[in-house]
Amino acid sequence: MESLFGITTPVDIEVLFHNEEQRKHIDTKVEKDRRERYPVYLDGETVSGKVIIKLRDGRKLEHYGIKIEFIGSIDLFHEKSRSYEFLTLSQDVASPGELRQATTFDFEFKNVEKQYECYSGINVRLRYFVCVRISRRLADIVRERDIWVYSYRMPIEVNNSIKMEVGIEDCLHIDFEYNKSKYHLRDVIVGKIFFLLVRIKIKTMELTIIRRETTGSLPNLYNESENIIKFEIMDGAPVKGETIPIRLFLGGFELGPTFRDINKKFSIRYYLNLVLIDEENRRYFKQQEITMFRRKIDDGYPPDDLEE
């Protein structure tokens, strides 16, 4: 916590959540080389705890009021770190005055609707956090502490299989199918590849899962794609009539749910990408969108709604 001109603030602020030690935690990547550990909350759960403000060196602190906020925001990094708040709840815990000793304030935001799941990506971050704000004449003192929110919004029940084909006239004809188009985060992708015509020398074949992050809106639309999983299906040349099974376990990878047009700011989509590479290193591919969703049972919760 730094104020104007790099002068350190005269207080230390600690935010503690109620029953934090008993709560599930997540260790997640927040930047390229940095991970953080957060307590996990669900939609509708109360967020409560206490804030401890300690004075340094026995000094007093004059202020114009202290409030504790619970905020949900979307940060778009390509817009000069512009932040859009979609949820703001506030509690005034102290009127203007001064602090002369260490003071504790309780806070409770009851049955908070947390309609979106947290996400930290390349160009966007969705976060929920408790913000302690001590108003002062020159510069406010602010301390934030994040939580992580899981969302369990199940897709519609229809879960059709995926059937596609890759073809190059008179050279290559491959049919492939996956058992379904919607997968939970610990699911298994099961499929088959049928080689109906092979007149080029295929060297390898791999299946990748691509996460595509779309942020902003037209005309300033940004797309970023990253390979989350790369799985080698075949090493060597197939022959006509051959069938290759696919069985890819998703549980060991850092996947998240599909997000569609979150607060009109961003979307996260997943694609299955089948890539064939011939002996001249030419690449042939076919891509199909899939839906990812989160189940409570996979995260250690009972399958019904969790209440405090």
Side-chain angles (χ1 to χ4, degrees), residues 35 64 66 83 91 108 121 127-129 133 139 142 176 181 199 218 229 253 274 282 287 290 296:
R35 302 181 70 86
Y64 292 107
I66 302 173
S83 181
Q91 296 177 357
E108 182 182 55
R127 59 190 289 242
Y128 295 86
F129 58 97
R133 189 179 302 275
V142 177
F176 58 98
S181 57
R199 288 180 178 169
L218 293 173
I229 301 171
F253 302 96
L274 183 68
R282 290 176 298 198
Q287 193 171 95
I290 59 174
K296 283 186 178 180

Side-chain angles (χ1 to χ4, degrees), residues 23 40-45 152 296 301-308:
R23 183 168 291 278
V40 175
Y41 284 77
L42 306 184
D43 180 24
E45 276 195 277
Y152 297 95
K296 283 186 178 180
Y301 295 112
D304 53 344
D305 288 337
L306 179 69
E307 301 289 343
E308 279 201 323

Side-chain angles (χ1 to χ4, degrees), residues 89-236:
L89 303 174
S90 181
Q91 296 177 357
D92 293 316
V93 295
S95 301
E98 62 180 36
L99 298 180
R100 294 180 174 270
Q101 61 186 8
T103 308
T104 299
F105 299 103
D106 293 325
F107 65 88
E108 182 182 55
F109 300 97
K110 195 168 182 62
N111 302 327
V112 183
E113 180 186 7
K114 311 173 198 71
Q115 57 181 318
Y116 307 127
E117 176 160 326
C118 286
Y119 175 76
S120 181
I122 299 171
N123 280 327
V124 62
R125 175 178 61 173
L126 191 151
R127 59 190 289 242
Y128 295 86
F129 58 97
V130 169
C131 176
V132 183
R133 189 179 302 275
I134 303 175
S135 297
R136 302 178 73 200
R137 183 168 60 89
L138 290 178
D140 292 352
I141 300 173
V142 177
R143 168 75 162 90
E144 298 175 354
R145 186 163 180 220
D146 287 55
I147 65 172
W148 197 268
V149 171
Y150 278 165
S151 177
Y152 297 95
R153 286 169 172 76
M154 303 291 284
I156 57 176
E157 291 186 3
V158 177
N159 198 354
N160 297 322
S161 60
I162 300 173
K163 295 184 179 181
M164 295 185 293
E165 63 178 44
V166 175
I168 302 174
E169 188 174 0
D170 297 328
C171 294
L172 181 70
H173 186 185
I174 299 174
D175 285 350
F176 58 98
E177 61 180 55
Y178 305 112
N179 59 334
K180 50 190 177 182
S181 57
K182 300 177 178 65
Y183 297 89
H184 61 80
L185 303 187
R186 295 186 179 274
D187 216 332
V188 183
I189 295 176
V190 178
K192 292 180 181 180
I193 300 176
F194 306 95
F195 292 87
L196 305 179
L197 177 64
V198 183
R199 288 180 178 169
I200 59 176
K201 294 182 178 180
I202 297 174
K203 182 171 61 175
T204 60
M205 181 186 303
E206 60 190 29
L207 182 67
T208 58
I209 295 182
I210 297 172
R211 178 163 57 209
R212 183 167 298 152
E213 178 184 290
T214 303
T215 55
S217 56
L218 293 173
N220 299 313
L221 198 65
Y222 296 84
N223 286 298
E224 294 282 356
S225 296
E226 57 180 328
N227 290 341
I228 305 300
I229 301 171
K230 182 179 289 187
F231 177 68
E232 187 177 271
I233 298 172
M234 180 197 70
D235 183 7

